[in-house]
Amino acid sequence: MPTIKDVADRAGVHAATASRALNSATRGMVNARTVTRVLEAAKALGYAPNSAARSLRTRTSSVAGVIIPDLRNPVFPPIVRGIEDGLREAGYMALLGNTDGDAVRERELFDAMRGRQTDGFILATSRRDDALPAEVPTVLVNRRTDAGGVPSVTADNSVGVHMLVRALVHLGHSRIGHVAGPRHLSTGWERYRAFVDAMDGAEPVTFAEAFTEDAGFEATLRLLDTVPDLTAIVAGNDLIALGCYAALASRGLRVPEDISVTGFNDIPFADRQRPGLTTIRIPHYDIGLESARLLLERIANPAGPAKRIVLPVELVTRGSTGPARN
Amino acid sequence: MPTIKDVADRAGVHAATASRALNSATRGMVNARTVTRVLEAAKALGYAPNSAARSLRTRTSSVAGVIIPDLRNPVFPPIVRGIEDGLREAGYMALLGNTDGDAVRERELFDAMRGRQTDGFILATSRRDDALPAEVPTVLVNRRTDAGGVPSVTADNSVGVHMLVRALVHLGHSRIGHVAGPRHLSTGWERYRAFVDAMDGAEPVTFAEAFTEDAGFEATLRLLDTVPDLTAIVAGNDLIALGCYAALASRGLRVPEDISVTGFNDIPFADRQRPGLTTIRIPHYDIGLESARLLLERIANPAGPAKRIVLPVELVTRGSTGPARN
DNA sequence: ACTGTGAGTGCAATCGATTGCAACTGGAGG
DNA sequence: CCTCCAGTTGCAATCGATTGCACTCACAGT
């Protein structure tokens, strides 16, 4: 692999000059003809800068750490894809890690990535009470901490839940239950709060242990045990809603004839479920894209304001909701 | 951030000694008591090695590049997850990149990652005719090149297709068509070859432009135009099969009453389609895991044999296949 | 007493790019 | 003619960890 010294020799200049010519920020310091010579030499040799050397000297790496719970959760692929595209706009790349929701593993990953000179982090994992290291630029995606001060990009959970409840009420439902996501995740919590707010009353709620089908199944059974005569269930997200489907089927209840179900996220294939899932479409890809841009902004100016970006959502009505039973 | 010099000073030794004490491979050269002192000092200071410096010196980074077409294709998340877990076993991390099947972008990504001192690559993108740079350890996942010489991990495409054809024949089908994946991808090609082999006759085949639902839709229409009286279609993968569903519906044909359809991969939610998709289950996660291990093996011993790992597959029968019409 | 041995440690070079500072050049201004 | 300045370029230090080599020291063998 050719080094900058090789390029400099070929162009007949000193390595320092070559470095300045190669770097667009310092290129102005070098004579235009020299720049051309260096650039030609670099191309001829197929020169690619050694990023380890550069990182060592500049203390930056153009790499961002992306930490999520589990890539197999269908919300994340499009988000991660958006992140990657956003990072690439600025020549950044993504180091990816999964935590399975394990705080210890998250910590390990975080440290390991930081040791690799990561310039910043995009986290989809933090709990509401997380204290995040402030020294390194960080953006939360699809999550938020209570404390604030950390920039985040999320979908509008509150508006989404209100849309769902309004749609159900419009269909004549009044006995509406909520199978919420985990309390310790901001997504679960915000939707729960919005639900309570939208229903303004003492409404039946159970909390799923996780945003998974299995946890949704289990939590739905608990809900049905407490309140058997519900006509609609607002689930904390689409996977939980699929758990509802299974739980309701196990109790011999039909969707939507006996009971309506709604999800949240509009994951791929939500339209192919039976019945198709009425849900809130969030702009997955854009959430990722915006979070990458926000991170880059923070890296460029760590002292700037900790923006919170909230992206609009959309109601998608499908077969899982129908008129209230009576 | 403390450096190894700080650790050494605190332990009252030279940086070189600290380095040897910290590195398990060279630890034997250092007196046991000294090792303890260094380790304590390191812990007390919260020392984390600067990986840029290490990479610069050792020319390794413990980072592998993972390049795939598009994370939003549902086959990839579980594979990538497996890769990540496999890499982590050895303290490696994954730099992720998407190409959208664009060869130029792939080349750019490859170079950019190589510039970042990537120790090796796992590629899910290469075309059958790709000439891969031999200098850097590379493993192909779910793909293969014609030339050989590059280690790969794939599912057993040939056996899978034979299973499908046999199952269809068993159901009484004889007029079976194939909507194949792209010719230039080994997956598409191998399944096509296996199909021809299994049918041992001049069978109707069209090739989809890509492994996507849209391409499958379009290719299915072409197939139906040529051979209207098929009783079964073997699709190149699940997404193409979903395209078949749509194409058949647009022609007023019912699955499986009028025509049976099979897929390949058993992507998440293949069971939730209507009708549920009969397909070949491949061990996504294990494919990823094995490819990571294989890469690590290659990195450790680049001169070793270029293994080809083929993992077994399984037939999953669901509602999309039924008895032949007549 | 002397040499040989081997364990343990220190010294200093090295990896490649970046950057503050100095040096040089030519031309403008006094 | 001298000074000064702007425009360029070179010099050398620097980032932090690793590693070949040399050195020290204690001890065993003769």
Side-chain angles (χ1 to χ4, degrees), chain A residues 7-8 10-13 17-18 20-22 27-42:
Chain A
V7 174
R10 189 178 229 265
V13 296
T17 306
R20 286 185 276 251
L22 256 9
R27 190 166 295 156
M29 307 166 72
V30 179
N31 183 296
R33 290 230 313 287
T34 312
V35 170
T36 323
R37 279 214 318 283
V38 171
L39 259 30
E40 274 168 5

Side-chain angles (χ1 to χ4, degrees), chain A:
Chain A
M1 286 246 90
T3 71
I4 202 169
K5 183 103 200 327
D6 300 326
V7 174
D9 287 351
R10 189 178 229 265
V13 296
H14 191 265
T17 306
S19 170
R20 286 185 276 251
L22 256 9
N23 189 326
S24 55
T26 49
R27 190 166 295 156
M29 307 166 72
V30 179
N31 183 296
R33 290 230 313 287
T34 312
V35 170
T36 323
R37 279 214 318 283
V38 171
L39 259 30
E40 274 168 5
K43 175 169 291 178
L45 294 171
Y47 168 74
N50 180 320
S51 72
R54 173 180 290 167
S55 294
L56 180 58
R57 181 67 223 249
T58 62
R59 312 186 152 284
T60 66
S61 62
S62 293
V63 170
V66 177
I67 303 184
I68 61 177
D70 184 4
L71 194 56
R72 287 170 297 191
N73 177 332
V75 253
F76 291 119
I79 293 180
V80 171
R81 183 63 214 268
I83 290 175
E84 212 228 294
D85 288 355
L87 290 177
R88 180 155 22 191
E89 289 173 358
Y92 269 68
M93 309 203 76
L95 262 182
L96 187 67
N98 297 267
T99 66
D100 286 326
D102 179 344
V104 175
R105 193 132 146 213
E106 177 171 359
R107 185 76 219 174
E108 284 171 8
L109 262 176
F110 192 86
D111 289 342
M113 286 181 175
R114 204 133 75 109
R116 283 190 176 72
Q117 310 305 116
T118 309
D119 289 349
F121 284 91
I122 297 182
L123 304 180
T125 55
S126 60
R127 309 157 70 86
R128 286 199 299 131
D129 52 6
D130 262 353
L132 294 165
E135 319 96 70
V136 45
T138 301
V139 170
L140 302 180
V141 60
N142 208 28
R143 294 269 191 285
R144 217 185 273 171
T145 53
D146 285 345
V150 185
S152 62
V153 180
T154 57
D156 199 330
N157 289 309
S158 173
V159 164
V161 170
H162 274 87
M163 282 173 165
L164 291 169
V165 170
R166 205 177 312 136
L168 289 171
V169 168
H170 192 73
L171 285 165
H173 294 272
S174 58
R175 296 194 303 286
I176 307 176
H178 183 37
V179 178
R183 273 189 199 77
H184 60 266
L185 296 180
S186 70
T187 336
W189 185 251
E190 284 184 14
R191 291 176 197 162
Y192 162 65
R193 295 301 312 166
F195 177 77
V196 170
D197 188 52
M199 297 295 297
D200 56 33
E203 298 307 325
V205 175
T206 55
F207 289 88
E209 288 294 310
F211 276 123
T212 63
E213 200 169 340
D214 289 348
F217 177 83
E218 182 272 334
T220 304
L221 293 184
R222 273 192 283 128
L223 184 66
L224 293 174
D225 287 341
T226 328
V227 195
D229 64 340
L230 290 173
T231 65
I233 294 181
V234 172
N237 79 350
D238 290 347
L239 292 177
I240 290 180
L242 297 184
C244 287
Y245 278 18
L248 294 170
S250 79
R251 293 285 165 95
L253 294 167
R254 293 161 303 162
V255 178
E257 292 83 354
D258 297 319
I259 188 163
S260 290
V261 173
T262 66
F264 208 106
N265 282 348
D266 195 28
I267 56 175
F269 295 118
D271 54 328
R272 307 295 174 83
Q273 307 301 319
R274 45 181 99 196
L277 184 60
T278 294
T279 187
I280 294 294
R281 175 173 302 155
I282 68 172
H284 302 91
Y285 180 86
D286 292 328
I287 288 177
L289 196 66
E290 288 298 330
S291 64
R293 289 182 181 152
L294 190 51
L295 178 64
L296 293 166
E297 209 177 301
R298 282 244 110 191
I299 290 174
N301 176 22
K307 288 191 207 167
R308 267 181 39 197
I309 298 181
V310 179
L311 296 177
V313 299
E314 189 185 337
L315 175 67
V316 183
T317 305
R318 301 205 182 93
S320 69
T321 47
R325 216 179 324 135
N326 60 358

Side-chain angles (χ1 to χ4, degrees), chain B residues 277-293:
Chain B
L277 184 60
T278 294
T279 186
I280 294 294
R281 175 172 302 155
I282 69 172
H284 301 91
Y285 180 86
D286 291 329
I287 287 177
L289 196 67
E290 287 299 331
S291 64
R293 290 182 181 152

Side-chain angles (χ1 to χ4, degrees), chain B residues 53-132:
Chain B
R54 173 179 289 166
S55 293
L56 180 58
R57 181 67 225 247
T58 63
R59 309 184 156 285
T60 66
S61 63
S62 292
V63 170
V66 178
I67 302 184
I68 62 177
D70 184 4
L71 194 55
R72 287 170 296 190
N73 177 333
V75 252
F76 292 118
I79 293 180
V80 171
R81 183 63 214 269
I83 289 175
E84 213 228 294
D85 289 355
L87 290 177
R88 180 151 28 186
E89 289 173 358
Y92 270 68
M93 310 203 74
L95 262 182
L96 186 67
N98 296 269
T99 65
D100 287 325
D102 180 344
V104 175
R105 195 133 146 214
E106 177 171 359
R107 185 76 218 173
E108 284 171 7
L109 262 176
F110 192 87
D111 288 342
M113 287 181 174
R114 202 132 76 108
R116 283 190 175 70
Q117 309 306 116
T118 309
D119 289 351
F121 284 90
I122 297 183
L123 304 180
T125 54
S126 60
R127 309 158 71 86
R128 287 199 297 133
D129 51 5
D130 262 353
L132 294 165

